[in-house]
Amino acid sequence: MSTTRSAPEPLRRGAASRAFHTVAGNRPRRLDWTLAGGVLALTAIGTLLLAAATYEPGHPESPLAYVERHLMHVGVALVAGSAVAFVDYRKPRAYAPVVFTASSVLLALVLSPLGEVVNGSRSWVALGPVQLQPSEFAKVGLVLMVAMVLGEPRDGETAPTSRDVLFSLGAMAVPLALVMLQPDLGTGMVVGVTYLAMLTLSGAPLRWIAGMLACGVAAVAAVWWFGLLKAYQLARFTSFLDPSVDARGTGYNANQAMIAVGSGGISGTGLFRGEQTAGRFVPEQHTDFIFTVAGEELGFVGGIAVIALLALVLMRILRIAAGCEQPYARLVCVGVAAWFAFQGFINIGMTIGVTPITGIPLPFVSYGGSATIANMCAVGLVLGVHARDRGFE
């Protein structure tokens, strides 16, 4: 008697196989290679400029100690940014309150005994051997939280209501107040501009936008009139108007920055050949004033290349924002674009004497572990939006 043999059952998937298929099914459907390439190019140029700015043959660790630490930061940042881009952007939205709260707690720790004073500002916190600048991560938390509040209108509304605006304003006030208590006026300006850009493009009632602008002008006037700025902050703001008035004091940084940029001419002196850079005449030339290295050693051509790459990154982010179907996703992109654009404008402007010196780093170019990681995570958010928002299908 013959028997019919059934087809063998498929092998059951093991845990590793199931995990692989889950991850593969959740991977981004597309990647904006232009945006990613622009960010990587800026990072590469920043690494070269850092090498030129900090090369020290007799350094006890290594002649390129700063570069080695920077590459470690970049490695961590790339992993973090890739992880954020890989995850569905709706998951960071769900955890926006957690990220916002955690970053606010870190900001509060800066004002505790764990905080450290650098250049007159208590902006750092020491957690064992690790030093963090919480204000950089607070920018990510702010963008996520404000996008969640303004990008998800309630009660059947299609645009943020007055209640939504008030709630978002309260959320913005938390990091702003903590940053100003450090005091860190530059980061406070970034927080304010980022929020205002997101509010403006959220569809909120115009009376709120006009009110925010009026309050901003009134706040600046009050700070100036009542002398609420520290002496060194006031000196930074006034010295850029005429650095020659106190060339060896408050105007020194601005004077030396313009000398370095101007000495590069059209094509520059060449990497590692800049006299101003090698002589360390420009303070903080590896962080706040790294654009002076580009101006001197790469010249006008190199400076324009850095600006063009930053403009490319901003245009790609705004293009992604314009194509978003979901308000939340669009506001995330708008917040990141405003953050990078304002920092880039102020940083480059203060090296050529058109904006006050505020200690704001140049995105993706300046040295700084916290800033590098926060910037890459922000780009990861934008890439995640582009990869999964249905408006791009």
Side-chain angles (χ1 to χ4, degrees):
M1 182 176 181
S2 62
T3 58
T4 304
R5 300 182 62 182
S6 60
E9 294 185 1
L11 294 176
R12 293 182 178 271
R13 291 178 179 174
S17 178
R18 288 196 303 272
F20 172 79
H21 284 278
T22 300
V23 171
N26 192 44
R27 70 181 184 277
R29 294 193 296 270
R30 65 189 69 80
L31 181 68
D32 190 320
W33 290 104
T34 304
L35 172 57
V39 168
L40 292 176
L42 279 173
T43 303
I45 291 176
T47 303
L48 289 175
L49 297 178
L50 176 64
T54 61
Y55 181 74
E56 188 177 347
H59 195 280
E61 296 180 32
S62 167
L64 295 173
Y66 275 95
V67 175
E68 292 170 3
R69 287 196 291 270
H70 179 66
L71 290 176
M72 291 177 58
H73 298 156
V74 170
V76 174
L78 287 174
V79 171
S82 299
V84 172
F86 200 86
V87 173
D88 191 324
Y89 73 88
R90 289 168 292 189
K91 292 183 179 179
R93 176 180 60 185
Y95 289 100
V98 177
V99 176
F100 178 80
T101 301
S103 62
S104 298
V105 169
L106 284 175
L107 273 177
L109 287 178
V110 170
L111 304 175
S112 74
L114 293 175
E116 296 185 353
V117 178
V118 178
N119 293 333
S121 177
R122 184 178 288 272
S123 301
W124 297 82
V125 60
L127 300 176
V130 179
Q131 284 186 321
L132 298 175
Q133 190 173 8
S135 58
E136 295 296 335
F137 301 106
K139 298 170 189 174
V140 178
L142 174 72
V143 168
L144 288 175
M145 191 66 181
V146 173
M148 186 191 76
V149 174
L150 297 179
E152 298 179 354
R154 292 178 289 273
D155 301 328
E157 299 288 339
T158 58
T161 63
S162 294
R163 184 177 63 177
D164 296 326
V165 174
L166 284 172
F167 191 81
S168 69
L169 184 61
M172 183 274 293
V174 173
L176 180 61
L178 291 172
V179 164
M180 294 305 294
L181 286 173
Q182 296 179 5
D184 186 350
L185 184 59
T187 300
M189 293 167 62
V190 175
V191 169
V193 169
T194 300
Y195 173 76
L196 185 59
M198 296 178 72
L199 178 66
T200 302
L201 296 179
S202 68
L206 290 178
R207 64 179 180 276
W208 282 104
I209 299 169
M212 293 297 103
L213 289 172
C215 288
V217 172
V220 171
V223 167
W224 186 276
W225 182 262
F226 292 105
L228 300 180
L229 289 177
K230 300 288 186 181
Y232 76 92
Q233 292 175 322
L234 184 61
R236 283 180 174 182
F237 266 87
T238 56
S239 63
F240 92 98
L241 297 174
D242 188 3
S244 62
V245 172
D246 188 9
R248 294 183 179 276
T250 58
Y252 178 81
N253 289 4
N255 265 324
Q256 294 302 319
M258 288 188 286
I259 291 172
V261 172
S263 64
I266 298 296
S267 58
T269 61
L271 283 173
F272 299 94
R273 295 181 180 178
E275 293 182 1
Q276 297 293 317
T277 300
R280 307 292 194 270
F281 291 108
V282 182
E284 307 297 333
Q285 62 184 5
H286 63 303
T287 54
D288 300 340
F289 287 95
I290 197 164
F291 190 76
T292 62
V293 184
E296 181 181 20
E297 301 196 350
L298 301 180
F300 177 79
V301 174
I304 288 297
V306 172
I307 294 173
L309 283 171
L310 184 58
L312 174 66
V313 169
L314 293 174
M315 286 189 296
R316 296 303 294 186
I317 295 175
L318 291 176
R319 180 180 179 275
I320 292 172
C324 286
E325 183 179 81
Q326 301 298 321
Y328 164 82
R330 181 171 61 253
L331 287 179
V332 166
C333 296
V334 168
V336 172
W339 161 9
F340 291 166
F342 185 74
Q343 282 200 193
F345 172 74
I346 294 296
N347 179 275
I348 295 174
M350 71 185 188
T351 65
I352 58 177
V354 299
T355 60
I357 295 174
T358 57
I360 296 178
L362 184 58
F364 308 107
V365 181
S366 293
Y367 174 82
S370 298
T372 301
I373 295 171
N375 292 342
M376 287 294 184
C377 286
V379 172
L381 288 172
V382 176
L383 291 174
V385 165
H386 179 264
R388 294 183 176 85
D389 190 272
R390 288 179 295 175
F392 297 99
E393 292 181 346

